[in-house]
Structure formats: C-alpha cells, structure tokens
Amino acid sequence: MADVLPYRPRTGEIPTDPGVYRFRDADGRVLYVGKAKNLRQRLSNYFAPLRTLHERTRRMVTTAASVEWTVVATDVDSLQLEYMWIKEFDPPFNVRYKDDKSYPFMAITLADEAPRVIVTRNRRIPGARYFGPYPKVWAVHETIDLMVKAFPIRTCSDASYKRAMQTGRPCFPGQIGKCGGPCSMTVTIEEHRAMVDDFIAFMAGGDERFTRDLTKRMMAASAAMDYESAARYRDKLSAIEAVLGKSALVLPADEDADLFGIAEDELSAAVHHFVIRGGRVRGVRSLTLDKELDISGAELVDQILQRVYGDGADVPRRVLVPVLPDDAAELEQWLRERRGRRVEIAVAQRGQRAELMRTATLNAQQALLRHKTRRTSDYVARTQALTDLQEALGMDEAPLRIECFDISHLGGTNVVASMVVFEDGLPRKDQYRSFNIAETTDDTDSMYQVLMRRLARVDAPRDEDEPEEENGARRRPRFAYKPQLLIVDGGQPQVQAAARALRDSGRTDIALCGIAKRLEEIWVPDDDFPVILPRTSEALYLVQRLRDEAHRFAITHQRRRRRRDIGTVLSEIPGLGEARIKALLKHFGSVTALRAATPEQISEVSGIGPGLAAGIHAHLAGGRAAPSR
C-alpha cells in the first residue's frame, strides 16, 4: 500500500480560512463532509502517513479519490453549510442516525382562524406550535383532555368547524363539551385566540401564575357567593394541578432547558433527550446513531445538536450536555439565530442538573444495549452475520459454533480466563467455561495456556460415566465439540499466541481471529493489516457481542473467586463469623484497607472489641491476606 495518496493536494493550495470539505470516491459519491476553522490544518491530518492514521480513517481516505473544499466567511457559516451538505448527501462515513420511530407531538395550529390542538407526528404543519415529543400517543391525549378543561380551546376537525360556522349550529364535540372553539357558539374568535395564547403560555413554561390567578378568582367568587363560578374555577384549577402533577419538578420552576445524556462505544452511540420546560420534563426522545470514523465526545455532541435543532426542534434558553463541543460559541450563535434570543450551551456538573444528567445517561446506556442486541434476536440478521463473517475471514463454511476467550487479572495477579460459546449466532450459556491460571508471564502466555487446555479436549472420546440418550448412545461431552472459529479478545500479540496454540495442538481446521477493542479491528494470523468490517455489518455486531460476553463472564468469575478468597482469609480468624466479616468489609471496603488499619481503627467497627481487633491485626500482618483487591 502506497504511503501517500495520489489525490493529495499541495499544502500551499489549501487555504487557511474556515470552510467545509468533502471527500468523494471515484464515482463522485460524497463519502465524508467536515468543517474546519483552518482548512489547511485540518486536511493535513487526513494526509499524514497512512500507517499513522486510525484504521477507519485510513479506510475512508483510501476509498476516496478526491477532496474538495469551500471557503466561507465565518465559523458559523461553515457549521450551517456542513449541516446542509450532510442532510443533502447522507455521507456513509459521517455519523448516521437510527431514529427508528417517529414520536407523537401536541400541536396547536396557529395559522388557522381558530387554532385547534391536535396529536400528530407531522412536524411540518405550517405555522404550528409543537410541544413534546411524548413517549406514547395516549400520554398526549391524556394531557390534552386535562388541558382543555382549564383552557377550553378548539379540538374539532376543520370540516366540523366549517360546517358549524356556516350553519350556526355547534359542532358535535362542542355539544358534548369537548370543544371550546367559536364553533361551539360560546366564545368569539378573539376570545378563543386569547385562550389559545394562555394554553401555549402554560405549556411553554408551566407558568404557575395561572394557578395563583385561578385560586384568587375562586376565592373571590366564593366570597361573593357566586358558587357556580367558584366551582368552574375549582375544576380548572384541578385540571392545571393534574397536568403539573404528571411530571415532577426536576429543575427550578423558571428553568427551560434541553438535556442530552449520551452513551457510546467505538461504533455506536445512543442519546436520551429530556425536554424541560418550567422545570418539568415535558418531552422525552431517544435516538441511536452509527459512527464510522473515530470522533471525540465533543465532536459527537456537535453532530447531535446540529441534527436535533437543524430538524426544527424548539430551542430553549439552555442546552445541557455531558461535554462542551469545541465550537460551542459558534453553536450558541447558530442556535441564537434560530431562537431569536440568547442560548447557552453548558455542562451539567452539579446539583439537580448533574442528577438529571445521570438519569439521562443511564437511559442512553440501556438504549445502546438494546440497539446492539436487537439484531441478534432476528434469525435473518444472525444468518447474515455468520455469512458476513465467513466471507470476511475467508472461511470455507459459516462458523456455526464460535468460541471467544478473554483474560482478566488484577495487576498481574489472580489471573483468570473465560470461554463463551455461541451456536447459530446465539449464546449457549450451559457450555461457558472459566479457567484459573496459576503461573503466567503475561496475557499472551495466559492465552496460550488456556487454548492449549481447551484444544486438548477437542474430539475427546465419550465418557463411559455420561448418562445415555434415549436411543442408547452415550452423550458426547459438551467441551469436546469442535468450534469452526476461535475469537480472542485482543490484537496481534494475542492472535499470534492463539495461533501458536493451534499449531502446537495440530489443529489446522479451526479458524482464528482477534478483536482489538480500541479500534474494533479484526486481526487474523500473519497479516500486517486488520480486517475492517463496515459499521453496519451484522458480523461486527456479533463479534462485539461475543467479546463483551466473554469479558463479562471473566469478570464475574474473578469477582466470585476474589470474594471466596477474602472470605477464606477472614474466616480463619477465631471469633469472626459471617456477620462480623460483612461488617468489616463494609466499613473498610477491602482486605487491603483492613490490613493497613491499626487495632484501634478496627475496634471502631460495631461488634469488634479491642482483643478481637488485635487478633485480626496480628493475623493479617502475618502475610495470610487475600489479593490486593
């Protein structure tokens, strides 16, 4: 592979102005769109020696056949042009969104003579004001039913409205008290417009002035013995309080903000978006995205904000994010132009904002997990994954049985390994195995030892002690089934150690690869460059799930073993039972901290007297302690 790209422009040809650049392939298709404050500085990063580039960046620049750029006057102009081109060309190497459903909104059709409130998924109604999104349609209907009791605005269809206005007879919803527009013949168009304004003001900020005003009116009517009016004000007040009670006050009552919780791995990300108005969560939205190139958290936030607000979302006073984008000032100016007033982008660092950010991030993590595992539950997707993996690794047949291995340790001690098994793309947890490694020099030696132990059991004879099947044949030991593919967690060093184990075991009929977590590369033996699977590849999702499952199983085994070791050490001390051992570990957190404690500090634990504390200190000082953590 040549180390210099043939289409690389001369450095002096690239301007130092802000602008937007596009990489194209040989057919002219736009592969990637990016913006830069200094085009020359940014593009020079892509034309560094290929061996120094991130694997996925190298794949993009080697796929491309040309690069072009457009100079703009300001950084804000570059942001706007980048967004426009990404929407127009949908480049495969840019962040791609997987918002797999449209959310319901509450909309008020302000362009109508008598605006009405409706439930819709259409965000393009001319002149409409939107509130939401809501997680479910029933949630929007429930809110509207409560709101029209306090603010009786029009809910009937356009056809019903026109017919009522032409005939002078109230619309049917108006006859049953479900519509408060002029078609109900109870208010004028001007009075109705005033109620619509109050409806919007309340929804936009949860303005509690309505609660105070209705309370005063109710008390005044009651004092004047106008009990019918007092009852109407009471019912409206109850409706408003019911709406406010649907969502807790999560921020100060005057806070209007959007908060974005983000969870990501090397290839995907999930976003959980809280729409907060008047301190209450008025809308919730989740979306997932795939990313091809290696981008930072700040760049990801930049792309998410462009997407959300570029698609017409209501811009609040404050936008809360986990990390500030590099061009936060330009984004604030871009959002200010959309909102018409000042907008602040800030990091939720402490207090209620930080707590809400943790909640949003947890929801994003769960959404990311669902996104990654959804494909494996589909038979067609699993079949495609096995076929893609067969083609990528050059195997003669699809790997119907795959085993994945991972090594886990605590600073070089307490070394364990895990083996997880997938058959037909699904986990076979009854065939998982764990290994303890007594002596080892490093991870590669550990991997070699584990695979030698595993491969020694392939094609093992049937055990005479195994119970018989219904047909009289003896069941084959589960550990003896031969995998078509071995996967190790790691890069070239781990793969080479595994290849040596296959050679020493005389196995030439088992394929091998490794997955390096940092770059999600697939390494095969004796190859200087990794296999880069497309981010949308079903095979990559399957390999990732195998790796993650092997890591989880190894950590679980190690923790179980460590708890057993800690319990064994402390149970050897006379006078220590299960309850006192739990109290000690809860107080000190680990055997290491307990070993470093003085007898006086140990005696501070409930139920531990001075004599027992001295015995615990002497026992641990004698060198019979558990591993460090």
Side-chain angles (χ1 to χ4, degrees), residues 375 381-393 402 487 515 522 533-546:
R375 298 181 179 186
R382 296 201 312 271
T383 302
Q384 186 64 49
L386 296 176
T387 302
D388 289 348
L389 201 54
Q390 174 190 353
E391 294 175 354
L393 300 179
I402 306 173
I487 299 177
I515 178 170
I522 306 298
L533 295 172
R535 65 181 169 191
T536 56
S537 167
E538 302 292 346
L540 183 56
Y541 276 87
L542 176 60
V543 173
Q544 282 181 314
R545 191 180 178 202
L546 273 154

Side-chain angles (χ1 to χ4, degrees), residues 294-319:
D294 182 37
I295 63 175
S296 65
E299 292 173 310
L300 184 59
V301 170
D302 186 343
Q303 295 292 315
I304 290 169
L305 296 186
Q306 285 189 48
R307 162 64 184 255
V308 171
Y309 296 113
D311 285 352
D314 183 38
V315 181
R317 167 69 180 80
R318 183 172 287 110
V319 177

Side-chain angles (χ1 to χ4, degrees), residues 578-593:
E578 183 177 348
R580 286 176 173 172
I581 290 174
K582 287 183 178 179
L584 283 167
L585 290 178
K586 182 178 181 180
H587 183 83
F588 290 100
S590 68
V591 172
T592 300

Side-chain angles (χ1 to χ4, degrees), residues 410-483:
L410 290 172
T413 64
N414 214 20
V415 184
V416 300
S418 65
M419 179 188 96
V420 301
V421 180
F422 274 39
E423 290 186 350
D424 294 330
L426 293 174
R428 289 293 305 273
K429 295 191 176 183
D430 61 319
Q431 299 191 27
Y432 287 12
R433 294 291 185 272
S434 57
F435 304 83
N436 296 327
I437 303 172
E439 296 182 4
T440 183
T441 57
D442 55 26
D443 280 357
T444 57
D445 180 55
S446 300
M447 187 64 72
Y448 175 81
Q449 289 188 43
V450 168
L451 285 176
M452 288 297 292
R453 290 161 62 181
R454 163 68 187 107
L455 294 170
R457 300 293 297 274
V458 174
D459 296 332
R462 292 178 174 82
D463 191 341
E464 293 298 325
D465 295 330
E466 285 283 341
E468 293 185 352
E469 302 281 5
E470 293 181 359
N471 59 7
R474 297 200 178 275
R475 189 183 300 132
R476 187 186 184 90
R478 292 170 180 164
F479 203 61
Y481 286 103
K482 179 178 74 69

Side-chain angles (χ1 to χ4, degrees), residues 514-551:
I515 178 170
K517 181 173 179 57
R518 187 175 69 88
L519 303 178
E520 300 294 20
E521 310 155 336
I522 306 298
W523 289 92
V524 295
D526 303 321
D527 199 330
D528 294 334
F529 293 98
V531 176
I532 302 296
L533 295 172
R535 65 181 169 191
T536 56
S537 167
E538 302 292 346
L540 183 56
Y541 276 87
L542 176 60
V543 173
Q544 282 181 314
R545 191 180 178 202
L546 273 154
R547 188 268 316 282
D548 294 344
E549 183 71 352
H551 183 67

Side-chain angles (χ1 to χ4, degrees), residues 406-410 414 416-418 434 548-563:
D406 182 37
I407 305 296
S408 180
H409 59 82
L410 290 172
N414 214 20
V416 300
S418 65
S434 57
D548 294 344
E549 183 71 352
H551 183 67
R552 180 199 64 78
F553 192 58
I555 292 296
T556 300
H557 173 59
Q558 187 185 78
R559 288 174 178 169
R560 189 182 301 116
R561 181 184 176 190
R562 189 173 67 194
R563 285 196 298 268

